[in-house]
Structure formats: C-alpha cells, structure tokens
Amino acid sequence: MRGGDFEVRFASGERTRCVIRPGALASLEAIATEAGLAGKGALVADDRLLSMRHGAALLRNEQTRLGRPIARTVSEERKCLAEAESICEALAERGLGRDGFVVAVGGGVLTDLAGFAAAIYLRGVPWISVPTTLLAQVDAGLGGKTGANLRAGKNLAGAFHQPRAVVCDPEALLTLPPRELWSGLAEVVKCALLAPEEDAGGVSLLDRCEANLEGAAAGDPETLATLVEACVRLKGRIVAADEREGGARAFLNLGHTVGHALEAATGYGYFTHGEAVALGLRGALRLSHSRKLLDFASLQRALQLVARLKIGVDRRLSPYQREAAIAALAHDKKARGGKIRFVLLAGLGGPRLEEVTPEECVMAVEASLS
C-alpha cells in the first residue's frame, strides 16, 4: 500500500511532519518522540474508535506516556465551546503540564476540538493530529485550523495551532461506512477541481478521480492511499504559503460557502460535511459558468464528476430551510465589509475569490439543491 513521509514548513517557522503509513495508529508514541515531544501525552479519541478494530492499538497506549485514551462522544451538535472546555478539564485532571502534548485521534470534529483545546490549555501545548476518516485525512487534519461552532455558524470560534505531526493511517479508512467514504470523496473531488494535474500515483488527480471514484468509495485501499497522499501534498503546499488564510488558502473553501450555509440551515445533523460540500460545488460551478469564467465543456466535465458523489439524504429542502441557507451566507468567514465572497473557477485549476451579489447567492443555493 502506498504511503508518504514529508514535512510542511510554514513561513512562521512552524513545521508539521506528515506521515501517511499503513499501521501508523500502532506507532503514535514513537512518532511523538520523533517529533521532539518529550513530556507526558494525552491521547484524546472518539469513543467509537475504542470499540472498533483499531481500539486495541489505541488502548495499548495505557502502558506508554500517552496514557489511557480520553474517550469523547463526538457529533457535530457537540462541536461547541463547552466540549472544548470539557477536554481542557480532562487534560488538567490528567496532570498535563507545559511540557505535555495532545494526540487527537478521530474525525474532523474531534481533531478540530482537541486541537482547539491544545491551543488554549495552558495558553497552548503541542499536539499531533491523527485523522481517521477520509474527510479529515484530506481536509481537517493538516493546516492548524482548530475550533468549535457557535449558534451563528460553523467554526466561528477557534485558533490557528499547527500540529507537530499529522498521521494518516490508510487502514483506518477500511472500516468506514459507505456514506462516510462518499463524504470524504467530496473533498477529494474539490482538490481535483482546484489542481487537476496534481500527481496521484503517476496519474493526474482529476483523471484518477474520474477513473477510480467508485473504487475508492468501495474501500479499495490502494486507491484511497493514493488519493490521500495527493490531497495532503496539495494542501501542504497551499497552507505552507498561506498559513492564516490571508490569500490562496481560501481557495480550499471551494464549495464550502454554500456547503456551510446548508449545514447551518439544517441544524448540522442532516447532511454530512462532505455531502454539503458536494452540493456547494454544484452551486460554485454553475456560478463560475454564469460569470463566463468556466467554459461549458469544463463545466460539464466537473458537474459529471460531482454528480457521481452520492448524497445519503433527500436534498430537496423546504422553502424555510432554503431561506435560512441564504441568510446563513452572510456569516461566512470569507465575507468582508458585508460583501459575500465565493471561491469560483476560472477554468479547472484556476480558483479565484470574488464578491457575489445577493441574486447570485440565491442562484448558487438553488443550483446546489437542484
């Protein structure tokens, strides 16, 4: 099975080692040592993982300086400041000092929350991100964006706190249900539209997606490992150049403007994040074409790929929910001076950030749900 081991260096001087390796979940304490972390660790894990086949490897850490995993019940509804506070209390009970560190094992909600707790506990302790879902491995694991939701919107509280290492174990993906794999593949497709020529095992990322999307969704380990490595390398280059989302990093939000709005309008529990992004991509592509940035052939190629992403629930929302989604766009983090901004494509591989009109916002939401 493919794998990779490389370092992302940020302009701030921060460094993140990226380890993509089968069986890496059994080597977390050793990876922490290699990352220069010498104090006591606290392994914070999604409690569901401890009863799965990966649980034995995680529980064995009770005999190491990582200690018995701190199990957390995870859901989008619990991605809040109160849960981050609870994790901090657990770190204090563990006796974690300033020389300590956090190892966050789970999906994007868990890594966002535990990373945020690491950022604020004792005014910041180091951490290692160990994403165990496809969505988190290709999106949330790398880049240091940590945080929690507020009632007003998704991820509106948080901090940039770069992990010392990001550890992606492709074997962790083999137990994911189909809906979770499809959710993660939406972020993979997003990467393919942003950088269609990115190398993915000797083939361009866009070609790899078009040829192997269903195979990845079926859990083919080689395909999954290849896609994860390509996406992590792409994201690593982008976030290294723009650590705090002042420029090109915003391009990673292709499809997310409407996607986040749909999540907010449906209470964060109806669509998975990846499903919302898949729908948001439809709106962004249609808007790119309507602005004459994206030619018809490229639009059709992109829409055909996006249409293959399976949505596990009915996307026909009520008029009230559609209005709520349009209203939620005003709270998007890319908005400036009351102006809503979308990531659009000036050709496949040509992202740009543009202000949009209220009428275009309505059109994008309707195109996403059509």
Side-chain angles (χ1 to χ4, degrees):
M1 187 183 294
R2 289 179 57 85
D5 193 329
F6 54 94
E7 187 175 69
V8 177
R9 301 185 180 188
F10 297 88
S12 65
E14 296 285 347
R15 296 183 178 188
T16 297
R17 180 187 176 197
C18 298
V19 179
I20 304 167
R21 181 196 306 159
L25 281 180
S27 307
L28 297 179
E29 199 272 339
I31 292 171
T33 299
E34 293 166 3
L37 300 174
K40 177 189 288 188
L43 195 159
V44 182
D46 185 328
D47 61 358
R48 292 170 293 188
L49 291 174
L50 301 180
S51 61
M52 300 173 69
R53 78 181 207 184
H54 320 298
L58 298 176
L59 290 169
R60 279 197 292 272
N61 285 291
E62 187 170 4
Q63 310 305 319
T64 74
R65 61 196 173 110
L66 300 185
R68 184 172 180 82
I70 298 171
R72 306 304 305 177
T73 301
V74 177
S75 68
E76 193 69 45
E77 293 79 6
R78 292 174 64 93
K79 189 181 181 184
C80 58
L81 292 174
E83 177 62 15
E85 180 183 8
S86 294
I87 294 174
C88 287
E89 294 286 2
L91 300 180
E93 291 175 9
R94 181 65 60 90
L96 208 69
R98 290 186 180 276
D99 63 342
F101 61 95
V102 173
V103 179
V105 186
V109 172
L110 186 285
T111 57
D112 277 6
L113 281 168
F116 183 44
I120 60 177
Y121 179 72
L122 297 179
R123 296 186 174 89
V125 295
W127 73 297
I128 292 176
S129 176
V130 189
T132 57
T133 66
L134 180 57
L135 183 70
Q137 288 189 4
V138 301
D139 180 45
L142 175 64
K145 288 171 72 171
T146 70
N149 299 337
L150 301 180
R151 284 191 294 272
K154 188 178 175 69
N155 296 324
L156 294 184
F160 284 97
H161 190 41
Q162 299 299 343
R164 291 286 186 89
V166 174
V167 182
C168 299
D169 187 341
E171 292 180 352
L173 307 180
L174 304 184
T175 59
L176 294 178
R179 190 179 182 193
E180 287 301 312
L181 285 171
W182 279 115
S183 181
L185 285 169
E187 291 285 356
V188 174
V189 167
K190 176 204 75 176
C191 290
L193 298 179
L194 288 173
E197 297 305 317
E198 181 74 22
D199 179 67
V203 178
S204 78
L205 181 55
L206 183 56
D207 286 344
R208 177 73 68 185
C209 286
E210 289 177 327
N212 299 115
L213 196 66
E214 284 74 20
D220 178 70
E222 289 290 343
T223 298
L224 287 170
T226 298
L227 293 174
V228 167
E229 183 179 354
C231 292
V232 173
R233 287 186 182 276
L234 169 63
K235 185 170 184 180
R237 290 200 307 275
I238 293 174
V239 299
D242 181 16
E243 186 172 0
R244 293 180 175 265
E245 205 169 69
R249 184 167 178 164
F251 296 154
L252 292 168
N253 287 315
L254 177 67
H256 285 61
T257 306
V258 169
H260 284 165
L262 293 175
E263 288 182 280
T266 53
Y268 295 107
Y270 185 68
F271 296 115
T272 67
H273 175 66
E275 288 171 343
V277 169
L279 295 175
L281 287 173
R282 296 161 61 94
L285 290 167
R286 289 288 188 188
L287 186 51
S288 298
H289 180 63
S290 73
R291 286 197 165 198
K292 303 186 186 309
L293 298 173
L294 190 65
D295 64 58
F296 184 73
S298 296
L299 171 70
Q300 290 300 104
R301 183 180 184 184
L303 284 177
Q304 286 171 8
L305 180 59
V306 171
R308 288 162 61 186
L309 296 167
K310 296 189 183 302
I311 308 298
V313 292
D314 190 342
R315 66 173 182 258
R316 294 174 297 178
L317 302 185
S318 69
Y320 171 79
Q321 289 171 317
R322 289 169 184 253
E323 291 174 8
I326 293 167
L329 290 173
H331 298 292
D332 187 81
K333 296 187 295 297
K334 296 182 297 302
R336 295 290 185 274
K339 300 291 187 180
I340 300 170
R341 302 190 299 172
F342 273 55
V343 179
L344 302 178
L345 290 181
L348 299 181
R352 56 199 290 180
L353 194 59
E354 296 206 349
E355 291 184 0
V356 298
T357 66
E359 293 76 17
E360 287 176 316
C361 287
V362 174
M363 186 271 280
V365 170
E366 292 300 322
S368 295
L369 299 172
S370 64

